[in-house]
Amino acid sequence: MKIGVYTNFAKDPHGMLAKKFCGILAKRGIECAFFHGEGDDPGLSALDRSERIGDVLVAFGGDGTMLNVVGCCAERSVPILGVNLGRIGFLTEASRSDLEQVVDRLVAGDYSVEERTMLEAETSDQKSYVALNEIILGTDSNSRVCSIDVEVDGVKADSVRGDGVIVATATGSTAYSLSCNGPVVAPDVKAFVINAICPHSLHFCPLVVSDSSVITLTGDGSKMRVTVDGRVYPAGGGDCRVTVRKSGRSALFVRLGEQGFYEKLIKKLSYWSE
């Protein structure tokens, strides 16, 4: 068995916790491949170049760290187990105090693998992106409104004036879309959420569509940007068009069965109950 270990040095200074985990693996005679990133820099070049990450990747950090590694792992069908060093850690499965238990469960094969739908997007300038949470087309300035036409399977669904439009997976429904009053979608529901960011309208409400739908967002040609799981890219000049559909890749997450989706929802997102 080989286990990849990735850590975010901003959350795990000098990788001390991850290196401790590697030490536990070494004592069990388990091969370990160590990778790391710095702060907002995904630092995934070594992970991308590696011929074999491992049978499982254990990622130390928060939800941002999980989003950084998920694309590379999905491409190689490697499941991820997240150790939460952040604040919410909705995508993670274990805490820093669970290291011995995590190794025991991985070695014994005492875990399940959960599959999550991902998005892929293609822009009008022929660039493509893959996301777990959401794809956003929006303005590059918080002080300027943009206009975006929304089509679902070639049929116009709405026009939005505001800061942008989010297309979120069920996984992403608990991320940015939720803060824009979007619905929470259970991870086993095969649907996407289309939601506006600060719409200048009295009528707009989020749309829930099938994950087999093809969604097209067309901007008004002003300066715009595409945001992919928090990473920002230029949307291209002219009439900015982003086509979003279900990706052929899936994210795989190791689940230890300690906490279900609704338990995690209450524990991690119900701040007022603390």
Side-chain angles (χ1 to χ4, degrees):
M1 186 178 192
K2 178 180 179 180
I3 294 179
V5 177
Y6 178 89
T7 193
N8 180 347
F9 277 6
K11 302 288 185 182
D12 180 20
H14 307 294
M16 296 303 293
L17 195 62
K19 290 174 182 176
K20 176 182 177 182
F21 183 77
C22 290
I24 297 172
L25 293 174
K27 289 179 181 178
R28 308 286 182 89
I30 300 170
E31 184 182 358
C32 172
F34 183 78
F35 310 94
H36 65 84
E38 297 269 3
D40 293 332
D41 177 9
L44 296 178
S45 57
L47 200 62
D48 287 331
R49 291 196 305 267
S50 178
E51 291 184 4
R52 182 165 175 260
I53 296 171
D55 300 293
V56 172
L57 180 76
V58 178
F60 288 79
D63 286 335
T65 303
M66 297 289 282
L67 293 175
N68 281 341
V69 302
V70 69
C72 181
C73 289
E75 186 176 357
R76 301 169 187 227
S77 299
V78 175
I80 310 166
L81 189 151
V83 179
N84 186 30
L85 306 183
R87 186 168 61 88
I88 297 178
F90 201 81
L91 297 175
T92 61
E93 186 69 7
S95 66
R96 65 177 68 227
S97 61
D98 298 331
L99 302 188
E100 293 278 358
Q101 179 190 12
V102 166
V103 174
D104 289 341
R105 299 283 293 271
L106 289 177
V107 171
D110 184 18
Y111 60 87
S112 61
V113 176
E114 182 180 39
E115 185 174 345
R116 295 287 185 96
T117 296
M118 299 183 74
L119 296 168
E120 66 179 31
E122 183 175 346
T123 61
S124 51
D125 57 355
Q126 306 301 309
K127 293 180 180 177
S128 59
Y129 306 97
V130 176
L132 173 65
N133 274 354
E134 71 271 310
I135 302 286
I136 302 169
L137 178 63
T139 178
D140 67 351
S141 170
N142 292 330
S143 62
R144 183 159 42 81
V145 172
C146 63
S147 296
I148 298 174
D149 289 335
V150 180
E151 293 182 1
V152 179
D153 294 327
V155 178
K156 185 173 181 178
D158 212 335
S159 291
V160 177
R161 282 183 58 79
D163 287 351
V165 173
I166 303 168
V167 180
T169 61
T171 302
S173 72
T174 58
Y176 194 4
S177 179
L178 179 64
S179 69
C180 298
N181 294 317
V184 172
V185 181
D188 59 345
V189 176
K190 299 182 184 302
F192 295 147
V193 176
I194 305 172
N195 200 2
I197 304 171
C198 299
H200 192 240
S201 166
L202 294 177
H203 87 274
F204 188 88
C205 62
L207 302 174
V208 179
V209 302
S210 168
D211 71 354
S212 64
S213 298
V214 177
I215 300 156
T216 304
L217 309 177
T218 305
D220 59 4
S222 58
K223 293 181 180 179
M224 303 188 77
R225 62 187 181 183
V226 177
T227 305
V228 182
D229 281 349
R231 297 183 293 277
V232 180
Y233 306 94
D239 289 334
C240 304
R241 181 181 291 263
V242 180
T243 303
V244 184
R245 56 171 51 88
K246 181 178 179 179
S247 173
R249 308 176 190 174
S250 294
L252 303 175
F253 292 106
V254 172
R255 299 305 185 203
L256 302 178
E258 303 298 329
Q259 200 171 64
F261 172 73
Y262 297 105
E263 293 173 289
K264 188 175 289 188
L265 195 65
I266 292 171
K267 180 178 180 180
K268 294 183 179 291
L269 295 182
S270 296
Y271 303 120
W272 58 83
S273 67
E274 296 178 0

